Amino acid sequence: VYKEWSLNDKVVRKIMSALANYNGVEVHRIDDPTGATDIALQTRVNKSNSLKADIHISIHQNAGGGTGTEVYWHTNGTAEDKKLASIVAPKLASKTGLRNRGVKTAQFAVLTCRATAILCEGGFMDTANDYAVITSDKGQQAYADAVVEGLVKYLGLTKKVQQPSQPSQPAQSQPSTSN
């Protein structure tokens, strides 16, 4: 039995790891990364606002007897919120292999921050097929990849140039001379 936070945490960590490979990206977690404390929704909004975040993504898993993925933006949100949700939603379904339930609006408190904001639902914890995907490392990686690819497209991110590693040179021996 998995708690939603533990599944979300695995996806978030994969997203953060992948985004570390892109230029100009600074990632902040506004939940408790230990999972010990549930941070109040308004506190999360306040933290996002105080960080002056450009993008706010809330990662979740669904429940309630359904199947598939969804991406939400706030009912009173902006065209940019809708644009980001519209980029991420089809990627999330495609990457995970789950049904695309589409882009939806709701008045979720975490979407009231100043940043462009979306809330992603990766699948239904109470549906066998979705559960198999969202509890697997492969499914969690697919979820993370979809979010990262959506951000790359939306923000026009570029990968950091990897410096080729230099093979270590054996120490050169110096000829010795004796007089």
Side-chain angles (χ1 to χ4, degrees), residues 77-100:
T78 68
E80 291 302 307
D81 298 330
K82 182 179 182 180
K83 179 180 176 182
L84 179 57
S86 297
I87 291 169
V88 173
K91 289 182 181 302
L92 184 54
S94 174
K95 291 273 185 194
T96 61
L98 298 174
R99 184 177 143 226
N100 184 357

Side-chain angles (χ1 to χ4, degrees), residues 32-163:
D32 174 3
T34 70
T37 306
D38 186 23
I39 306 299
L41 300 177
Q42 190 57 52
T43 301
R44 294 178 193 205
V45 169
N46 293 345
K47 180 73 172 175
S48 179
N49 289 343
S50 71
L51 290 166
K52 295 182 172 56
D54 296 315
I55 305 288
H56 179 103
I57 298 178
S58 193
I59 301 296
H60 295 271
Q61 310 300 328
N62 221 333
T67 185
T69 63
E70 304 171 318
V71 178
Y72 288 87
W73 61 287
H74 197 278
T75 304
N76 299 320
T78 68
E80 291 302 307
D81 298 330
K82 182 179 182 180
K83 179 180 176 182
L84 179 57
S86 297
I87 291 169
V88 173
K91 289 182 181 302
L92 184 54
S94 174
K95 291 273 185 194
T96 61
L98 298 174
R99 184 177 143 226
N100 184 357
R101 294 171 57 96
V103 173
K104 299 182 176 185
T105 60
Q107 294 185 0
F108 295 137
V110 294
L111 298 178
T112 62
C113 57
R114 288 186 210 116
T116 297
I118 60 172
L119 182 145
C120 302
E121 296 280 7
F124 282 76
M125 295 180 66
D126 55 355
T127 302
N129 182 55
D130 288 22
Y131 184 82
V133 172
I134 66 178
T135 58
S136 73
D137 186 65
K138 181 179 176 184
Q140 293 159 4
Q141 188 64 57
Y143 189 163
D145 290 346
V147 172
V148 171
E149 285 181 19
L151 285 170
V152 166
K153 181 175 181 178
Y154 178 78
L155 294 169
L157 298 177
T158 58
K159 277 207 166 194
K160 292 178 179 175
V161 175
Q162 298 292 328
Q163 298 298 325

